[in-house]
Amino acid sequence: MKKFLSFLALLFVGFMPIAIQAQTVSTFVSSGLNKPAGLATDAAGNIYVADEQGNQVLKYTPLGVKTVVASPVGGYQLPNGVAVDADNNIYVSTNHFDQHTVFKVTPANVVTEVEPGLISGPVGVAVDGDNNLYVADFNVNTVRKITPAGVASVFTTQVEFPVALTVDGSGNVYVIGGNDSEVHKFNAAGTLLTSFNGFNYPSGIAVDASDNVFVADTYGHRIAKITPAGVVTNYAGSEGIADHVDGPLADAYFTEPFGIAIDANDQIYISEFSPNQIRKITPATLPVTLISYTAQVEDNYTLLKWRTESEQNNKQFIIYRSGDDKDFKELKRMDVVLNSSNIKNYSYTDKTPLNGNNYYKLVQLDADGKVNELGVRVIAFNLNTESVKLYPNPTANKAIVTFMASKYLTASISDINGRILQTQNLAAQQTEVEIDLSSFPKGLYFVKLSGANGTLTSKLVKK
């Protein structure tokens, strides 16, 4: 029986400028391979290839520079699946009669066997967002789940001859069945939700950041797409026609697409088994080319910064925030100039961050109403300690007091004799107030913040 392969698709948050103007297909690797099978990518955009009959695993940089991944003593025998976790550990499955094993290769090139004696005939491997490893154990009709702590369990036995699998952002697991050529969708608990058919011996499967699933339909000689709503369409290639044509996506042809992987920029890599090549689908340019997006702590605030190289048809940037519940709420909309070919810098300060983890999602809205998510950054705060600032101090006339929101009700100024000179009421979300000493003589004053849970007094000098 023909072997079937798999790969890993991970979610990433890095960005690189893209200059392609439309979806295009190109040949990424044209030589040096012997039956390339499973594919994977890492956070840096490197591509990993299980070169089945070459008995090796290869690593290519985004520019195509090749190195060989460390192997066990005696080497790999028919490596067919490959996956990379968030810690850059590489998992390689082999299904030779002398070596039916999953190997783990650490960043330090230490090679060990995963669960020796447990796995009978591994083909596809995948890793979820929590670094749980999933193994398509082909010979015993089983998908296994292995936690980072090494606890192994049976995820499902409902797929005959599972050959490839991937995990989406919600923890749903998609498994290709080698017997029925269907894609079976399970929730994180292992309950079968639905199945998709219409494929011709598919061998590889990947999911992008938007939870679209892409299937390498091997003998259909095409790439199929399953939307989150469950709609199956032809994405690339022409069903039943084997050929090699690069160029615009609509004009491209494939021959025996086998493994498939998607990088952080939604570039799709496809191994072609018999042609011994790796093809690449480059997406169309987004309306905004993002150079960087960062989040950093500034006192008890979060400072978000992002930089764009160019903008086309751009209407707004929208910032959302959530805690660990991932219930994102809108913080800010920023109107922008529709088109720009210059580098532009943006920033936003969140003056009322949550206690604990804060997740900041940057979204771009174009003039046609289309939304593009540009990335998520996380900042952690411990807001149990008080932070009040008074500046400039000394001051010639005016000063600013900053403080935590929802903590104080009033701000007052008094002289050294305790006489109250001014009192201001504070709004619930207010985080700063201006102190005006213009009408008072030089000397020492006291600024007092008062709230339901106590007061805080600071000295202020007028020079």
Side-chain angles (χ1 to χ4, degrees):
M1 179 179 290
K2 187 176 180 64
K3 289 186 175 62
F4 294 86
L5 293 306
S6 158
F7 74 98
L8 164 72
L10 290 175
L11 303 181
F12 305 102
V13 292
F15 292 88
M16 295 173 61
I18 301 172
I20 305 299
Q21 295 302 313
Q23 287 178 296
T24 57
V25 178
S26 59
T27 300
F28 180 68
V29 178
S30 60
S31 62
L33 297 172
N34 190 356
K35 299 298 184 284
L39 299 182
T41 60
D42 65 17
N46 299 302
I47 302 94
Y48 298 80
V49 183
D51 193 29
E52 187 179 76
Q53 293 189 20
N55 291 320
Q56 60 184 341
V57 177
L58 302 173
K59 174 183 176 181
Y60 292 88
T61 70
L63 297 179
V65 178
K66 180 177 74 174
T67 55
V68 179
V69 173
S71 60
V73 175
Y76 297 112
Q77 298 185 53
L78 299 182
N80 44 40
V82 61
V84 183
D85 70 16
D87 297 323
N88 285 327
N89 296 300
I90 305 166
Y91 297 90
V92 180
S93 60
T94 62
N95 196 10
H96 187 272
F97 61 84
D98 283 336
Q99 188 187 78
H100 37 81
T101 307
V102 175
F103 294 98
K104 176 182 178 179
V105 184
T106 71
N109 291 325
V110 176
V111 183
T112 56
E113 185 177 343
V114 176
E115 294 298 321
L118 173 68
I119 302 169
S120 175
V123 184
V125 286
V127 179
D128 67 15
D130 294 322
N131 280 357
N132 295 302
L133 174 67
Y134 294 81
V135 180
D137 203 350
F138 181 88
N139 293 358
V140 290
N141 301 322
T142 300
V143 174
R144 302 186 188 278
K145 178 180 178 180
I146 304 169
T147 70
V151 178
S153 61
V154 173
F155 179 76
T156 185
T157 58
Q158 298 181 71
V159 180
E160 288 189 84
F161 303 123
V163 297
L165 67 172
T166 190
V167 188
D168 70 16
S170 299
N172 298 307
V173 180
Y174 295 80
V175 184
I176 292 177
N179 186 55
D180 57 17
S181 292
E182 293 187 355
V183 174
H184 305 279
K185 179 181 179 180
F186 296 84
N187 65 16
T191 301
L192 180 62
L193 301 178
T194 189
S195 299
F196 305 94
N197 56 28
F199 307 106
N200 192 353
Y201 290 100
S203 303
I205 188 166
V207 62
D208 68 13
S210 300
D211 284 346
N212 295 296
V213 176
F214 294 83
V215 180
D217 193 16
T218 303
Y219 290 153
H221 306 294
R222 64 172 184 145
I223 307 301
K225 176 181 178 180
I226 306 172
T227 70
V231 178
V232 181
T233 59
N234 189 73
Y235 182 73
S238 185
E239 187 172 2
I241 300 177
D243 204 347
H244 181 104
V245 176
D246 287 335
L249 184 67
D251 300 332
Y253 287 88
F254 296 85
T255 298
E256 291 186 22
F258 218 74
I260 185 168
I262 304 173
D263 72 9
N265 290 312
D266 280 339
Q267 297 178 121
I268 304 174
Y269 294 88
I270 301 132
S271 64
E272 292 182 307
F273 195 73
S274 292
N276 297 316
Q277 295 181 341
I278 306 295
R279 308 286 290 282
K280 175 182 176 181
I281 300 176
T282 304
T285 304
L286 290 173
V288 169
T289 301
L290 188 69
I291 298 174
S292 63
Y293 171 38
T294 62
Q296 63 190 63
V297 175
E298 292 281 346
D299 299 320
N300 266 0
Y301 303 153
T302 300
L303 176 61
L304 304 176
K305 293 182 178 180
W306 62 100
R307 196 179 195 197
T308 64
E309 184 177 61
S310 64
E311 300 176 27
Q312 297 179 5
N313 202 35
N314 187 22
K315 181 180 179 181
Q316 287 180 330
F317 289 111
I318 310 171
I319 298 169
Y320 295 87
R321 184 190 67 193
S322 83
D324 286 325
D325 59 1
K326 302 298 177 64
D327 182 17
F328 283 93
K329 305 292 185 184
E330 183 179 319
L331 284 183
K332 178 72 174 177
R333 285 180 180 252
M334 301 176 64
D335 293 325
V336 296
V337 177
L338 278 178
N339 301 302
S340 171
S341 58
N342 300 319
I343 291 177
K344 301 187 72 173
N345 295 289
Y346 299 90
S347 66
Y348 172 75
T349 300
D350 179 13
K351 295 184 177 181
T352 59
L354 305 172
N355 195 28
N357 289 326
N358 290 253
Y359 299 84
Y360 294 94
K361 180 190 296 184
L362 179 62
V363 170
Q364 178 268 331
L365 175 68
D366 67 25
D368 300 321
K370 184 178 179 181
V371 172
N372 298 292
E373 183 177 324
L374 301 181
V376 177
R377 301 292 181 265
V378 60
I379 290 288
F381 280 93
N382 181 356
L383 300 177
N384 295 324
T385 58
E386 178 62 16
S387 178
V388 172
K389 285 197 169 185
L390 180 59
Y391 63 92
N393 190 9
T395 181
N397 289 302
K398 297 180 180 180
I400 299 293
V401 186
T402 63
F403 44 85
M404 291 172 55
S406 304
K407 186 162 186 178
Y408 299 108
L409 301 175
T410 62
S412 61
I413 309 168
S414 59
D415 60 20
I416 58 174
N417 297 315
R419 183 165 56 99
I420 297 177
L421 306 175
Q422 282 183 4
T423 299
Q424 299 183 51
N425 292 324
L426 303 176
Q429 295 303 312
Q430 193 169 343
T431 58
E432 65 181 38
V433 65
E434 182 182 78
I435 304 299
D436 189 356
L437 299 179
S438 301
S439 60
F440 302 114
K442 296 178 181 179
L444 177 64
Y445 295 88
F446 297 92
V447 178
K448 182 178 181 181
L449 300 174
S450 302
N453 296 317
T455 63
L456 188 145
T457 303
S458 302
K459 295 178 180 179
L460 176 61
V461 176
K462 180 178 180 182
K463 60 185 179 179

